[in-house]
Amino acid sequence: MPEAPETPRKRTAYIALGSNLGDRIGWIEKACNEMDARGIKVKRTSSLWETEPMYVLDQDRFVNGACEVETTMEPLELLDALQDIENKLGRKKVIDKGPRNIDLDILLYDNLQVNHERLKIPHIGIPEREFVLRPLAELIPDKPIDPNRPWRLTADYLDALPPSKTPLTTMTPLSSHHPPIQALNPSRKTHVMAILNMTPDSFSDGGQNLPLPPDSISENTSSAGSPNTITNGTAIDSTTTDPSTALHHTITTLLDAGASMIDIGGQSTAPGTPEVPLAEELARVIPAIRLIRTRFPTNTTTTTTDTTITTTTSRPVLISVDTYRAAVASAAIAAGADIVNDVSGGSMDPAMLATVARLGATVCLMHMRGTPATMAGLAAYPAAEGGLIGGIARELVQRVRAAEEAGVRRWRIVLDPGLGFAKVGRQNVDVLRHLEELRAWPGLQGLPWLVGSSRKSFVGRVTGVPTPKERIWGTAATVAAAVQGGADVVRVHDVKEMAQVVAMADAIWRY
C-alpha cells in the first residue's frame, strides 16, 4: 500500500505591516485580505500605530502594525508570497526605506533562525524599531525574539528603547470619509454621537421619530394627517411634513448642534422590553440609513439637466447602527452605515462577530451580562474576582479575543463599559471614576472607548430627577467625567448641550 501523503505542518509567523502612501489603513487591510485568500491565515492583528518615518525622514508618517499568521509555507516560499502581494497591490520601490503604499516583512517564523541572502529571521531591525516592537509586543509580549537569548522577551526589548520624541498613537478607522480615532493622542477631539431611536418604546425618547416607508428617499414633502412629533428637542409639524423630510430636518439639526456620528436603533434595550421581529427592526433602521446617505452624501456631486445644474454639497456623516443582530448589521452596512454598535459585545447573535469581520466594519463591543431582560439581576462583581472594574475588564478582554478569533482586526474594535447594563445605581458612577483604569487594562490598551450615560436611571437617582428628558445637567457631569477619563466618543440625546460640554471638557483635558 502506498503511504498517504504527509499533511503539511502548520507554522506560526509574525508579519510586519506598513504603509505611508494614499489610504494607508486601506492598503494594510487589502494586504491582510490577500494573505487570507492565499491560505496565509491571519489569526490575530495588533493595533495600527501612526509613526514618524525612520532612516529616510523626508516622507509622510507611516501606519504600522503586525499580524500573527498560520501557514504551511516554508520561509522563502512565504517571502515570495508576500512580495507577490506587494506587487499585486502596486508597490514600487523607488529608494530603500522610502515611501511605499504597502510593506510586508517576516519578523518571526516559529522558533527558527534563517540566514539567507534574501531573508534574515528574526528580522534584524526588530530590536531598534519601536514601530515594530510596539505592535509585536501587543501580540507576543512574553515571547523571546532571539532563540539564542530566550530570557529576553519582546516586552523587554520595547522597554529598553529610549522614550520617543513623538509618542506613538493607535488608529481606529471609522469610514473612508472621516479621519480615524487616535485613542492615545492627548490632543484628540471627542466625538459626539447623537442617538436616533426609530422605536416607539425606548426609555427616554421612544416614539419621537416617525418610521419611514420603504420609498421614503423621494423628495415628496407632503403628508397630511400625521400627528406632531418632537425629535431630540426639535419640533416638527408632521401635519405638513412627511416623515422623510422630518428626519432630514432632525439630522440637519443634530449636525448643526455638533454631532459627528448618528447612532440609529430599531430595537429598544430597556429592561423588560420585548424583542421585535427581525423584519420590523430592518424596516425601522434601513430606510433611515438610506435617507441619510442620500440627503447627506459623502462626496460633492453635480447633476446637469437640459435646464438646470444642481450641486449637492458633501456633508459626511458617520452612521452607526445600534443592533445585536448580524442580519441587521449586514443590511445596515450595505445601506451605508459605517459602524456596528452591539450592546451585547457580539454575544447575543453567534453570527455577529464573523459577519462584522466579513464586512470589514468597525464594531463597538459593549460590556453586558445576559440579555436586556436579565441583566439587572447579574450585577454582582465579587471582590475575590476583581470587583466591578476587574470584572468588566476581564469580560471585555474575552469579547475582544472572541472578535479576533472570528476574524475582526484589532484596529477595528471600539469598547464601551456598558453603563446601565448589568450595573446598577452607583456602580455606574464607579465605572466613570475608573475609566482611565479600564483604558490601561492589559489586553485593552490602545483601544478607543465609547461612553453612553445620557439620561440614564443612575443619573436620575443621584440628582433626584425622575423624568429622563430633564436629566440634562446630571448627564452633563457624566459627559465631562467621561472626557476626563479618556472617552473617545460620548453617546447622547441632548446634542446641543452636550456638544458644548465636550468642547469645554476637551479644552481642559485634551491638550
Side-chain angles (χ1 to χ4, degrees), residues 192 257-259 479 490 492 494-505:
V192 176
V479 167
V490 291
V492 301
D494 305 290
V495 173
K496 181 178 180 180
E497 294 83 354
M498 297 312 126
Q500 293 179 24
V501 173
V502 164
M504 197 70 237

Side-chain angles (χ1 to χ4, degrees), residues 134-213:
R134 195 161 292 282
L136 194 59
E138 287 185 289
L139 296 173
I140 48 169
D142 301 324
K143 179 181 173 64
I145 290 174
D146 185 350
N148 295 323
R149 307 182 72 187
W151 61 88
R152 194 166 189 199
L153 310 178
T154 304
D156 297 329
Y157 285 94
L158 180 61
D159 292 340
L161 290 179
S164 175
K165 294 180 181 179
T166 306
L168 276 61
T169 180
T170 55
M171 303 180 73
T172 302
L174 300 171
S175 77
S176 60
H177 53 81
H178 202 280
I181 293 176
Q182 296 186 319
L184 298 181
N185 182 347
S187 63
R188 69 194 186 281
K189 299 297 183 183
T190 308
H191 283 277
V192 176
M193 173 184 276
I195 299 169
L196 188 68
N197 285 323
M198 306 299 293
T199 55
D201 51 1
S202 292
F203 83 99
S204 173
D205 57 355
Q208 288 188 358
N209 299 302
L210 298 176
L212 301 179

Side-chain angles (χ1 to χ4, degrees), residues 90-263:
R91 173 173 171 170
K92 293 181 174 60
K93 190 172 182 179
V94 179
I95 58 172
D96 187 41
K97 299 181 178 61
R100 57 266 198 199
N101 67 317
I102 189 64
D103 192 20
L104 305 174
D105 289 312
I106 302 173
L107 300 175
L108 302 170
Y109 183 99
D110 269 357
N111 292 318
L112 295 184
Q113 290 180 289
V114 177
N115 188 12
H116 188 274
E117 62 181 4
R118 294 182 58 213
L119 180 64
K120 311 292 183 186
I121 298 177
H123 193 288
I124 59 174
I126 294 177
E128 67 183 29
R129 299 176 182 177
E130 183 182 7
F131 64 82
V132 174
L133 279 171
R134 195 161 292 282
L136 194 59
E138 287 185 289
L139 296 173
I140 48 169
D142 301 324
K143 179 181 173 64
I145 290 174
D146 185 350
N148 295 323
R149 307 182 72 187
W151 61 88
R152 194 166 189 199
L153 310 178
T154 304
D156 297 329
Y157 285 94
L158 180 61
D159 292 340
L161 290 179
S164 175
K165 294 180 181 179
T166 306
L168 276 61
T169 180
T170 55
M171 303 180 73
T172 302
L174 300 171
S175 77
S176 60
H177 53 81
H178 202 280
I181 293 176
Q182 296 186 319
L184 298 181
N185 182 347
S187 63
R188 69 194 186 281
K189 299 297 183 183
T190 308
H191 283 277
V192 176
M193 173 184 276
I195 299 169
L196 188 68
N197 285 323
M198 306 299 293
T199 55
D201 51 1
S202 292
F203 83 99
S204 173
D205 57 355
Q208 288 188 358
N209 299 302
L210 298 176
L212 301 179
D215 59 352
S216 59
I217 300 176
S218 68
E219 295 299 324
N220 176 37
T221 57
S222 63
S223 178
S226 300
N228 291 353
T229 185
I230 297 179
T231 53
N232 292 290
T234 303
I236 305 295
D237 183 0
S238 296
T239 60
T240 58
T241 305
D242 75 343
S244 64
T245 302
L247 182 60
H248 179 266
H249 180 89
T250 296
I251 300 300
T252 301
T253 301
L254 295 175
L255 296 176
D256 289 344
S260 56
M261 301 180 177
I262 309 293
D263 191 40

Side-chain angles (χ1 to χ4, degrees), residues 422-457:
K423 292 123 196 128
V424 295
R426 288 188 175 267
Q427 286 180 327
N428 297 284
V429 177
D430 287 339
V431 172
L432 286 170
R433 284 178 181 154
H434 296 281
L435 184 59
E436 191 169 353
E437 183 179 344
L438 282 171
R439 292 179 67 236
W441 198 274
L444 305 179
Q445 296 165 326
L447 295 174
W449 287 78
L450 181 153
V451 175
S453 58
S454 184
R455 299 183 181 178
K456 290 193 172 176
S457 59

